[in-house]
């Protein structure tokens, strides 16, 4: 019996040794830093901190340390210095040194200081910090999360909460999908009917779990997709909402203080129903319609042959640009069905006059016209989904021949669907690319379709291509079937943490096993906040 007890004691002793050494070699940080040196000992913050630096970072540091950890402002406490170091060339990079009695943070910009603060906050435990030196900078300059508010309007409180979570994970781009068939969510002063009419629908398609869909495939995910979009069940409730100019300015300022740029998406020339419901002359058919209550890809498209329609977009984009200081405007460009263009005499005439061979040419010419205006008049660049290239992405595009128009080289391509050769085509033709391939980044997918490990495994840069050719990645939450905050939380967390690490941490420094260990404290924080989380995704 005594021998057995001794063996158990020896076993637990060696386990504790292994655990200690494992902990010494690892910090609980997501995204994980790129260069870490850990030393013996701690920096004790129990007597408070004395922050030296710019007013904003001082305010943010005192506020978060007191609120999250009970660490108070104290002139005789540990000195925490935010220093400007021009030699740090990456504006988001930083150097963090934590010693027994001092903390020094160096960066060349406020963004670097802010990201160092996020790292420091994750290191606090029982009012203590480990002694470390961290030299860090992001792998990609574009680390985005997209929220679709066209399908369901969620409001300022939800958006600010998501911006807070993004900031804590060092994500720097909030892609805001504001217009689509199901709703127009941004006030445009020159066109008030966009929100008076386009921001409302009188009912909404909802799931019918009892629906039996002919031709079910046996694939649970795809069959669920069929049941949703073929449902004839509606909630019969008015859904409405949009953001005023003052709302947007408030949110933009809130994001800016957290190192986040906001990229608005104004969909064109497809996903046009809400706008056409407000102003029928925008559509190719010039017919009065209602804001759809059903989800899916509608056939309503804008009329690119109309000078009045082009002027509408110039007016809208000028107003949008004045609200969003970021150097980019997203114009959508995805899922444009050609049926109404095919039936239009005006489009046929327009194609003949401009020597356009097919309807993909029509879209590329339209995109270039918008791009030219955005560049020359607004001083910005456009971003669009893969279809702006004029490549075959969908069944309805394959019968129109090859594109002969060339997309403006200043446009940024956000790859999302179709054969992965489309991504390589964009890179081979020297376009800047954001990788958002739907199978790997669509947060509205079930966890059976997109488990956490698959999120973490996205190959952002295709094999054989230089890292500089891809500016970053985006993860997207489309909300056709996601109507409340509990559902938003369930689909976003924890997967957003995986994309944050993919965007920040260099490939050679990443480890999925370590990521899972580091995720546990973050999960505990989310649970303390009452978030609705998928329990089986943390193993």
């Amino acid at each position: 019996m005594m021998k057995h007890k001794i063996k158990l004691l020896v076993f637990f002793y060696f386990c504790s040794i292994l655990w200690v050494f494992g902990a010494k070699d690892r910090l609980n940080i997501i995204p994980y830093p790129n260069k870490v040196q850990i030393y013996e000992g701690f920096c004790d913050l129990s007597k408070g901190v004395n922050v030296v630096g710019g007013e904003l970072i001082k305010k943010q540091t005192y506020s978060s340390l007191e609120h999250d950890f009970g660490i108070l402002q104290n002139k005789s406490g540990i000195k925490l210095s935010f220093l400007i170091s021009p030699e740090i060339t990456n504006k988001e990079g930083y150097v963090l040194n934590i010693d027994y009695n001092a903390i020094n943070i160096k960066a060349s910009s406020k963004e670097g200081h802010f990201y160092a603060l996020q790292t420091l906050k994750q290191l606090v435990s029982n009012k203590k910090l480990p002694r470390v030196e961290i030299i860090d900078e992001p792998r990609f300059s574009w680390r985005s999360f997209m929220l679709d508010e066209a399908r369901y309007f969620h409001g300022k409180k939800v958006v600010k909460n998501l911006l807070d979570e993004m900031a804590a994970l060092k994500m720097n781009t909030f892609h805001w999908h504001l217009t689509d068939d199901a709703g127009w969510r941004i006030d445009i002063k020159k066109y008030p009917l966009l929100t008076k009419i386009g921001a409302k629908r009188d009912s909404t398609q909802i799931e019918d779990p009892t629906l039996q869909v002919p031709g079910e495939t046996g694939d649970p995910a795809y069959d669920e997709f069929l049941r949703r979009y073929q449902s004839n069940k509606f909630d019969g409730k008015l859904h409405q909402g949009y953001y005023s100019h003052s709302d947007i300015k408030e949110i933009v300022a809130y994001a800016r203080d957290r190192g986040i740029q906001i990229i608005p998406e104004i969909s064109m020339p497809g996903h046009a129903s809400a706008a056409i419901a407000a102003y029928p002359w925008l559509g190719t058919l010039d017919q009065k319609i209602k804001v759809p209550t059903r989800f899916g890809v509608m056939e309503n498209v804008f009329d690119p042959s109309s000078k009045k329609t082009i002027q509408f977009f110039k007016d809208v984009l000028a107003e949008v640009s004045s609200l969003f200081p970021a150097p980019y405007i997203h114009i959508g460009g995805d899922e444009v069905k050609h049926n109404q263009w095919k039936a239009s005499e005006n489009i046929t005439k327009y194609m003949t006059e401009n020597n356009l061979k097919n309807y993909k040419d029509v879209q590329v010419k339209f995109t270039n016209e918008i791009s030219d205006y955005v560049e020359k008049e607004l001083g910005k660049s456009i971003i669009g989904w893969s279809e702006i290239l004029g490549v075959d992405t969908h069944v309805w595009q394959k019968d129109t021949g090859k594109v002969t128009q060339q997309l403006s080289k200043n446009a940024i391509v956000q790859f999302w669907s179709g054969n992965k050769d489309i991504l390589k085509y964009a890179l081979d033709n020297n376009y800047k690319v954001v990788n958002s391939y739907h199978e790997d980044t669509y947060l509205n997918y079930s966890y059976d379709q997109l488990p956490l490990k698959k999120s973490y495994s996205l190959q952002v840069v295709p094999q054989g291509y230089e890292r500089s050719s891809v500016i970053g990645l985006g993860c997207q939450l489309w909300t056709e079937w996601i109507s409340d905050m509990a559902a938003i939380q369930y689909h976003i967390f924890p997967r957003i943490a995986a994309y944050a690490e993919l965007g920040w941490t260099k490939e050679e420094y990443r480890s999925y096993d370590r990521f899972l260990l580091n995720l546990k404290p973050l999960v505990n924080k989310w649970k303390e906040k009452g978030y609705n989380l998928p329990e089986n995704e943390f193993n």
Side-chain angles (χ1 to χ4, degrees), residues 214-240:
E216 289 196 353
T217 65
D219 178 343
Y222 188 68
D223 289 340
E224 180 183 55
F225 170 85
L226 291 175
R227 282 193 295 274
R228 283 174 167 175
Y229 286 95
Q230 294 186 33
S231 170
N232 290 312
K233 192 173 182 179
F234 296 84
D235 65 7
K237 299 175 183 177
L238 173 69
H239 183 78
Q240 61 183 328

Side-chain angles (χ1 to χ4, degrees), residues 43-48 70-72 78 126-128:
C43 175
D44 188 350
L45 303 179
S46 59
K47 293 182 179 179
I71 298 169
L72 303 178
I78 296 293
N126 297 319
K127 297 187 179 182
K128 291 183 179 180

Side-chain angles (χ1 to χ4, degrees), residues 71 95 155 162 292 432 472:
I71 298 169
V95 177
L162 293 173
K432 291 181 180 178

Side-chain angles (χ1 to χ4, degrees), residues 96-115:
L96 169 62
N97 278 288
I98 302 175
D99 211 337
Y100 290 111
N101 298 307
I103 303 167
N104 288 314
I105 293 171
K106 297 178 181 179
S108 61
S109 73
K110 63 180 182 180
E111 288 86 1
H113 284 157
F114 183 81
Y115 291 138

Side-chain angles (χ1 to χ4, degrees), residues 316-472:
V316 167
L317 293 174
E319 203 163 316
V320 168
S321 179
S322 70
L323 294 170
F324 295 93
Y328 311 100
I329 297 176
H330 205 300
I331 65 162
D334 60 312
E335 297 180 324
V336 182
K337 289 191 172 182
H338 300 148
N339 303 45
Q340 292 185 359
W341 286 352
K342 291 178 182 178
S344 169
E345 292 182 4
N346 288 338
I347 295 295
T348 301
K349 181 181 177 183
Y350 175 75
M351 292 174 70
T352 301
E353 291 174 347
N354 291 280
N355 195 29
L356 303 176
K357 304 300 183 185
N358 53 64
Y359 300 104
K360 285 176 283 193
D361 282 342
V362 173
Q363 180 171 351
V364 175
K365 186 180 187 312
F366 166 81
T367 301
N368 285 342
E369 190 167 356
I370 297 299
S371 177
D372 189 59
Y373 169 76
V374 170
E375 289 171 29
K376 293 179 180 178
E377 301 300 324
L378 305 180
K380 302 186 178 188
S381 300
I382 67 158
I383 309 171
W385 302 105
S386 316
E387 290 94 324
I388 65 172
L389 287 164
V391 293
D392 290 337
T393 303
H394 308 286
V395 172
W396 60 80
Q397 295 171 325
K398 295 184 183 299
D399 62 346
T400 62
K402 288 188 176 181
V403 66
T404 64
Q405 298 285 300
Q406 186 178 61
L407 176 68
S408 167
K409 289 295 183 181
N410 294 322
I412 296 174
V413 176
Q414 189 162 8
F415 172 65
W416 79 279
S417 186
N419 191 297
K420 288 189 178 180
D421 286 344
I422 294 172
L423 172 60
K424 295 175 182 178
Y425 172 86
L427 296 172
D428 289 341
N429 284 276
N430 299 313
Y431 290 101
K432 291 181 180 178
V433 171
V434 176
N435 192 346
S436 294
Y437 186 55
H438 69 105
E439 289 185 7
D440 299 313
T441 68
Y442 272 24
L443 297 167
N444 46 292
Y445 287 173
S446 71
Y447 283 92
D448 288 335
Q449 291 172 280
L450 182 58
L452 180 61
K453 189 170 186 178
K454 186 176 181 181
S455 294
Y456 195 85
S457 302
L458 168 67
Q459 186 177 32
V460 183
V461 181
Q463 191 170 3
Y465 288 84
E466 295 295 325
R467 191 181 74 187
S468 60
S469 59
V470 178
I471 64 173

